[in-house]
């Protein structure tokens, strides 16, 4: 039985939100990354962007207060912060492609130790490819962070030596936030930024299946 406690989804989102600096313009991908909007530090001004044309997106609305004319790219109801803007889809993608995003937070099927990202298709013939704006976000943002569980349902690491799934971007991921810990891929290997309490470096290496470089 594991002697460490994994980060739950909200704890993982809170960990990511803690690292977003004052004044950042940030895109949150569909799935778990959207939870980050609920945990942004109150003492920082952080602008959230959604590729369907929102700048200044707020947290999820309270139950019963949803407005389904106001949704994020994953079609989840959202709120707007004071001063928010709704822009044309083309302008929203110009922000993404023009290097104006400080950070994009994306989910992933696989991330390589050198920062390659695979998050739009598993290669399964029965799966429906869903790239959306992922490629634009992966290479257009100044930093791309990944938010995901470390292991698949079968217990295999999603951090790999080389991605076997079709790539979204090459060497674009700067940080990988997982339920087991936080990692920074790069040319010199996979660096550990933190591990959940009780998880040793040796145990983490066994789970990942790759050498880890201590912070």
């Amino acid at each position: 039985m594991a002697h460490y406690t994994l980060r739950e989804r909200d704890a993982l989102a809170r960990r990511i939100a803690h690292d977003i600096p004052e004044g950042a313009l940030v895109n949150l991908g569909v799935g778990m990354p959207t939870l980050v909007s609920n945990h942004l530090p109150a003492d920082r001004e952080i602008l959230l962007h959604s590729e369907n044309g929102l700048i200044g997106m707020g947290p999820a609305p309270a139950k019963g207060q949803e407005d389904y004319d106001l949704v994020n790219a994953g079609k989840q109801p959202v709120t707007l912060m004071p001063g928010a803007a709704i822009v044309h889809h083309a302008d929203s993608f110009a922000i993404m492609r023009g290097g104006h995003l400080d950070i994009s937070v994306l989910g992933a099927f696989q991330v390589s130790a050198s920062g390659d990202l695979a998050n739009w298709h598993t290669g399964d013939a029965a799966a429906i490819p869903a790239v959306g704006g992922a490629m634009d976000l992966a290479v257009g943002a100044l930093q791309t962070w990944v938010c995901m569980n470390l292991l698949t349902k079968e217990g295999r690491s999603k951090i790999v030596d080389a991605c076997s799934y079709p790539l979204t971007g090459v060497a674009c991921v700067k940080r990988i936030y997982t339920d087991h810990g936080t990692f920074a891929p790069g040319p010199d290997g996979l660096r550990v930024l933190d591990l959940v309490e009780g998880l040793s470096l040796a145990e983490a290496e066994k789970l990942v299946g790759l050498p880890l470089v201590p912070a």
Side-chain angles (χ1 to χ4, degrees), residues 20-26 43-48 100-103:
I20 299 175
E22 167 75 22
L25 178 60
V26 182
D43 60 348
R44 298 179 206 167
E45 183 177 23
I46 295 168
L47 280 175
L48 295 182
H100 304 291
L101 288 175
D102 295 295
I103 300 166

Side-chain angles (χ1 to χ4, degrees), residues 5 14 19 61 93 114 152 156 161 195 198 205:
T5 302
R14 191 178 303 112
D19 281 356
F93 268 75
S114 58
T152 66
R156 294 190 295 269
D161 184 46
L195 295 173
E205 279 191 336

Side-chain angles (χ1 to χ4, degrees), residues 28-147:
L28 302 178
V30 298
M32 276 202 294
T34 60
L35 296 175
V36 174
S37 66
N38 299 329
H39 300 283
L40 297 176
D43 60 348
R44 298 179 206 167
E45 183 177 23
I46 295 168
L47 280 175
L48 295 182
H49 165 276
S50 182
E51 59 260 43
N52 59 320
L54 304 181
I55 305 170
M57 186 172 62
K63 190 173 180 59
Q65 300 298 311
E66 299 91 345
D67 177 358
Y68 283 91
D69 287 328
L70 188 62
V71 296
N72 62 21
K75 299 182 178 61
Q76 297 170 311
V78 296
T79 57
L80 294 180
M81 301 298 289
I86 298 175
V87 302
H88 191 280
H89 200 222
D91 294 322
S92 184
F93 268 75
I95 290 171
M96 294 156 57
R97 295 168 177 169
H100 304 291
L101 288 175
D102 295 295
I103 300 166
S104 64
V105 184
L106 301 172
F109 295 133
Q110 290 178 332
V111 183
S112 77
S114 58
D116 297 341
L117 172 65
N119 80 339
W120 69 279
H121 193 22
T122 62
D124 185 342
I128 300 174
V131 66
M135 291 181 179
D136 304 273
L137 291 167
V139 302
L142 300 182
Q143 289 194 63
T144 296
W145 297 353
V146 162
C147 170

